[in-house]
Amino acid sequence: MRKRILVNGAGGFIGGHLVKRLKTEGNWVRAVDLKRHEFAEPPADEFIVGDLRDQQVARGAVEGIDEVYQLAADMGGAGYLFTGAHDAAVLHNSATINLNTLEFGHQAGVKKFFYSSSACIYPEHNQTDPDNPKCSEDSAYPAAPDSEYGWEKLFSERLYLAYQRNYGTQVRIARFHNIFGPEGTWTGGKEKAPAAVCRKVSEARDGGSIEVWGDGRQTRSFLYIDECIEGIRRLMESDFMGPVNIGSEEMVSINRLAEMVMEIAGKKLSIHHIEGPLGVRGRNSDNRLIQSRLGWAPMYSLRQGLEKTYRWIATQTELTSTKTA
Ligand code: NAD
């Protein structure tokens, strides 16, 4: 059935890809973001450039809408979220977006909300061992996220769940684990590790070196964007509300990630470790719950996703250097 859908944050990475998928499925889509998409204009029926912290914008956005995908957030990689310099803005901006979207959506009769939470909600003390982090959904409490970004996500999870409990609003909540792929932020300070590594490798001359924050032995898993979109759609169509991890269980160290990208690029580079904001020591998705409730697991290997992402970022760096030459 053709639905009227709102995607908040459609000028961003995941939101942009989600609009494409929802349009392919035949829906009518309204997109809202502070800015237009930098790399690929999403094929929305309507694109509102507006600030969802503004009550008037948030109220207008949900008018006549059946379902909301709420992906707008004050967001970035470790360089943005873990220095502490943006804590007040991150908490205030993202919480306001969620408070407005949910309240006005509820008033306007929106039937279902998807909320994009994060692996950053998991307690820091369960992620100190790089080889054995614990990120099962039921380990979220007692809560101890290592960033204000994580605390805001946890607050907003609770907000969506409370609306479901008190007002019968249908909600679906996913905790994303490091989503990467083409058409995402790759430079400027808000990029995340896979994009940053692809950029550094593509800009380096063969035989040179790249910088990696910390000793590079910190571990993470990374999920390719197409898989994330599939997980979101399956969750939204199911009767399972979550919160549930959407991630990959293929955990690697950041050093290994860098080596993989070098192999893809066909370059031999040395890794120069420097100080930088790091986040937790180890993190991996735990997919047991999503596997059992939705029968879902990622299909692509990290390597396959990185090949596509590297190709796209290498093209972006070439385009930029041609423009500035
Ligand atoms: P992104 O930064 O590319 O997209 C977020 C978008 O929200 C941006 O385009 C931004 O302009 C928009 N936005 C911010 N403030 C706004 C406001 N006041 N009004 C309107 N729009 C506003 O990030 P993304 O990677 O696409 O992430 C999407 C969602 O998924 C976010 O909520 C993020 O916290 C969550 N998430 C992402 C990851 C990941 O690895 N990418 C991991 C965990 C959670």
Side-chain angles (χ1 to χ4, degrees):
M1 198 186 66
R2 190 173 149 92
K3 291 179 189 153
R4 290 180 62 89
I5 295 179
L6 169 66
V7 179
N8 286 345
F13 169 48
I14 303 173
H17 283 275
L18 182 61
V19 171
K20 282 187 216 164
R21 170 71 178 259
L22 293 168
K23 282 306 299 172
T24 309
E25 291 174 10
N27 300 290
W28 185 93
V29 179
R30 178 181 294 148
V32 180
D33 202 294
L34 275 178
K35 57 164 180 68
R36 294 231 159 228
H37 202 289
E38 257 180 275
F39 311 112
E41 185 71 14
D45 296 278
E46 200 178 303
F47 196 118
I48 300 174
V49 177
D51 188 337
L52 290 158
R53 292 169 302 180
D54 179 332
Q55 296 198 349
Q56 248 179 318
V57 172
R59 198 190 294 268
V62 291
E63 243 169 59
I65 290 295
D66 300 314
E67 293 184 357
V68 172
Y69 289 79
Q70 202 319 79
L71 294 123
D74 194 353
M75 159 70 175
Y80 185 73
L81 296 177
F82 299 133
T83 62
H86 308 285
D87 284 352
V90 165
L91 282 168
H92 177 266
N93 294 340
S94 296
T96 308
I97 294 169
N98 283 305
L99 288 161
N100 284 347
T101 298
L102 196 45
E103 176 55 23
F104 295 126
H106 163 62
Q107 286 178 17
V110 168
K111 295 181 196 77
K112 212 191 253 185
F113 290 84
F114 171 84
Y115 176 56
S116 51
S117 183
S118 165
C120 290
I121 64 100
Y122 288 113
E124 186 173 14
H125 56 252
N126 286 336
Q127 301 172 83
T128 51
D129 178 354
D131 299 322
N132 202 19
K134 180 173 174 183
C135 293
S136 54
E137 287 82 350
D138 60 3
S139 69
Y141 294 97
D146 72 327
S147 66
E148 300 301 351
Y149 171 76
W151 278 107
E152 189 283 325
K153 289 289 186 196
L154 208 51
F155 162 75
S156 289
E157 282 190 5
R158 301 186 69 90
L159 186 70
Y160 283 85
L161 292 171
Y163 269 66
Q164 168 143 311
R165 225 167 32 246
N166 293 164
Y167 305 137
T169 317
Q170 287 284 306
V171 303
R172 302 288 181 271
I173 300 173
R175 294 174 180 158
F176 296 155
H177 289 245
N178 290 312
I179 315 303
F180 75 102
E183 297 169 14
T185 305
W186 58 277
T187 188
K190 282 193 162 188
E191 66 278 19
K192 305 182 96 189
V197 168
C198 287
R199 187 196 69 235
K200 290 173 187 178
V201 170
S202 78
E203 286 173 345
R205 258 181 297 130
D206 196 12
S209 69
I210 59 162
E211 289 180 344
V212 163
W213 289 344
D215 63 9
R217 288 192 220 144
Q218 63 273 30
T219 53
R220 294 290 185 277
S221 65
F222 303 94
L223 184 71
Y224 189 63
I225 181 68
D226 293 2
E227 311 268 24
C228 172
I229 301 296
E230 179 63 26
I232 295 173
R233 290 292 300 119
R234 285 202 192 200
L235 178 61
M236 199 62 168
E237 295 309 315
S238 79
D239 56 10
F240 177 48
M241 67 177 170
V244 68
N245 293 329
I246 293 189
S248 157
E249 290 181 324
E250 188 182 342
M251 187 172 75
V252 292
S253 69
I254 302 300
N255 286 335
R256 180 63 200 132
L257 177 77
E259 283 162 13
M260 274 182 162
V261 176
M262 289 178 214
E263 285 159 20
I264 291 165
K267 293 184 185 179
K268 280 206 177 7
L269 306 169
S270 55
I271 300 178
H272 180 45
H273 294 107
I274 58 164
E275 267 188 42
L278 295 175
V280 293
R281 192 72 184 140
R283 175 171 290 155
N284 194 8
S285 187
D286 180 329
N287 287 354
R288 285 173 296 176
L289 186 61
I290 196 161
Q291 175 80 60
S292 73
R293 298 301 298 261
L294 303 184
W296 179 87
M299 281 164 36
Y300 283 105
S301 65
L302 173 60
R303 169 94 192 203
Q304 287 170 302
L306 279 177
E307 280 169 5
K308 294 183 189 214
T309 309
Y310 181 77
R311 272 203 300 277
W312 182 78
I313 291 181
T315 310
Q316 300 301 308
T317 54
E318 271 167 35
L319 286 173
T320 311
S321 62
T322 321
K323 269 190 216 152
T324 50

